[in-house]
Each structure stands twice: as C-alpha cells, then as structure tokens.
Amino acid sequence: DSGVTQTPKHLITATGQRVTLRCSPRSGDLSVYWYQQSLDQGLQFLIQYYNGEERAKGNILERFSAQQFPDLHSELNLSSLELGDSALYFCASSPETSGYNEQFFGPGTRLTVL
Amino acid sequence: QKEVEQDPGPLSVPEGAIVSLNCTYSNSAFQYFMWYRQYSRKGPELLMYTYSSGNKEDGRFTAQVDKSSKYISLFIRDSQPSDSATYLCAMSAPGGSYIPTFGRGTSLIVHP
C-alpha cells in the first residue's frame, strides 16, 4: 500500500458526460501528479500540483482540468468525454526529501466511456 | 524517435533465472533514473532510484546506468513467479519540476 488513495476504482459513463476523479496523497506529501495510462500510449503525464498551485503541465487536453485543495487532496475533472478517454488514471505523490523523483502511485481509477 | 525506448516484451524466463531489463534514451540531460514495477491493474511501485551513472543494488535487484551509451538496465537475480509484472523505466532531468518520462514498460513472465 503506497499510502495514496484514489476514488472511485471504476467508472463507467457515456460519451459527452463529465466525471471527477479524486486523489488523496500520502501524509506530508505536497506534490500531486496525474497520469493517464492506455494500452497504446503508455503512462502519460497530465499535470502536477504543489501545495495547491499548478506546477507543471503535460499532455493534458483542454477538456480536462484539475485542482488541489487546501487539505492537499486533488481532483481531476474530465468533461465532454470521448471513447478515446477510456484509460487508467493514476494519481501519484512525492516527498520533498527526494527532489520529487520518487513518486508513489495510487491504485488508479479505471474509466470506461461507452 | 521517442525520448525513452523500452522493449514491450513479453520476456518469459524460468524461475531462478537472471533477468535483464533495459531502456535506451535520447535526452542527455537526464540525470535521475527510476525503475517501477506494475502488477496487472495496479499502480506502479517504485523499485529503484539512481542518480547519474553507476550501479545500485537492493536485494535481488541491481540498477545500472551507462550515461555514455544512454542505456540503463535492471537486473533481477533468482527470479521468482511473483516477479511477473510490467517493469517501467523512468528518467528525469534536473531543474524545473523533475517530471519523469516513462518508458512503455516490459512485460516479464517468470514461470515455475
């Protein structure tokens, strides 16, 4: 158990809908990362937050957005969903002591868009 | 050319074998190198973390970095069926936010 929690574990929805994925980092970790993992693309970095502020952006679509709250949990919002958004979405957190290179991943949310 | 290349496998070996997993990369700025293990339908788990060139050993696992060749390896000694998983390499450059670039992963199967 990495200490990172994600809810829900599974999500099935229809095209055009909007969903919210939730992540709670390990106790004491200020950085949260979101990743998308699909069979054909591998693990793709989406966005990073540090102590409530956006720190880095990767291949995140405009239909996707995220935020980190004062209690450090984070939410990833996916809107106008398309079939191609079906994937595993992982949240990770990292401690400052390792320079942010050690990332601890949650169990993921499996999103299926029908 | 992708920044990080990793053979997807699968790599099938008998129990007890020495396994060698490899990644090549093109970005000479990479200084931090990580290996993650991912079981099916689970989140990646950090196995090894090394800085710059050289070897690092942890139990049955040895990580090796050759920056001159832009090549990293993970060796697993006395492989066990429980080692069956996908192994992802990751690497990052100093400065900025240290966002790692991941390889696609190599699927390893250790059969009894």
Side-chain angles (χ1 to χ4, degrees):
Chain A
D1 184 355
S2 67
V4 177
T5 60
Q6 288 187 250
T7 56
K9 286 186 180 178
H10 304 279
L11 204 44
I12 301 175
T13 188
T15 55
Q17 296 297 305
R18 171 190 167 97
V19 297
T20 297
L21 313 183
R22 183 187 167 105
C23 165
S24 292
R26 296 186 328 151
S27 177
D29 288 355
L30 302 180
S31 264
V32 169
Y33 309 76
W34 285 99
Y35 292 87
Q36 179 192 60
Q37 187 177 44
S38 58
L39 281 174
D40 58 343
Q41 291 292 325
L43 197 62
Q44 298 288 313
F45 167 69
L46 295 178
I47 197 163
Q48 178 203 8
Y49 276 82
Y50 175 81
N51 202 21
E53 299 205 354
E54 183 185 303
R55 175 65 67 90
K57 248 182 178 177
N59 301 319
I60 187 165
L61 299 171
E62 284 193 16
R63 300 183 285 108
F64 296 1
S65 64
Q67 54 185 328
Q68 186 179 28
F69 295 86
D71 66 352
L72 300 179
H73 91 271
S74 178
E75 292 181 356
L76 179 67
N77 300 296
L78 315 176
S79 61
S80 302
L81 285 168
E82 301 175 359
L83 296 177
D85 297 327
S86 296
L88 269 168
Y89 290 84
F90 288 107
C91 166
S93 71
S94 65
E96 291 189 62
T97 51
S98 69
Y100 308 109
N101 281 302
E102 293 182 74
Q103 296 193 7
F104 296 85
F105 284 77
T109 293
R110 180 172 295 276
L111 173 67
T112 302
V113 182
L114 301 175
Chain B
Q1 182 191 9
K2 286 181 179 286
E3 266 195 309
V4 179
E5 300 274 6
Q6 189 175 10
D7 187 332
L11 176 62
S12 183
V13 302
E15 183 175 355
I18 296 175
V19 175
S20 172
L21 303 165
N22 311 295
C23 286
T24 59
Y25 62 95
S26 57
N27 187 348
S28 57
F30 286 146
Q31 295 277 353
Y32 303 94
F33 303 92
M34 288 73 72
W35 285 96
Y36 286 82
R37 177 176 61 197
Q38 185 176 21
Y39 291 113
S40 181
R41 297 173 178 265
K42 303 288 186 186
E45 170 196 8
L46 181 66
L47 276 180
M48 302 283 282
Y49 165 41
T50 55
Y51 170 70
S52 196
S53 284
N55 292 358
K56 183 175 182 179
E57 189 173 318
D58 184 1
R60 295 185 297 113
F61 298 91
T62 299
Q64 197 171 78
V65 175
D66 182 350
K67 290 189 67 186
S68 62
S69 302
K70 296 192 181 68
Y71 189 89
I72 69 170
S73 300
L74 178 71
F75 297 96
I76 307 175
R77 289 183 299 281
D78 187 26
S79 56
Q80 303 294 310
S82 58
D83 294 327
S84 299
T86 296
Y87 291 79
L88 301 114
C89 63
M91 42 200 83
S92 66
S97 54
Y98 295 85
I99 302 300
T101 300
F102 283 84
R104 293 282 302 274
T106 298
S107 174
L108 172 66
I109 301 167
V110 182
H111 51 87

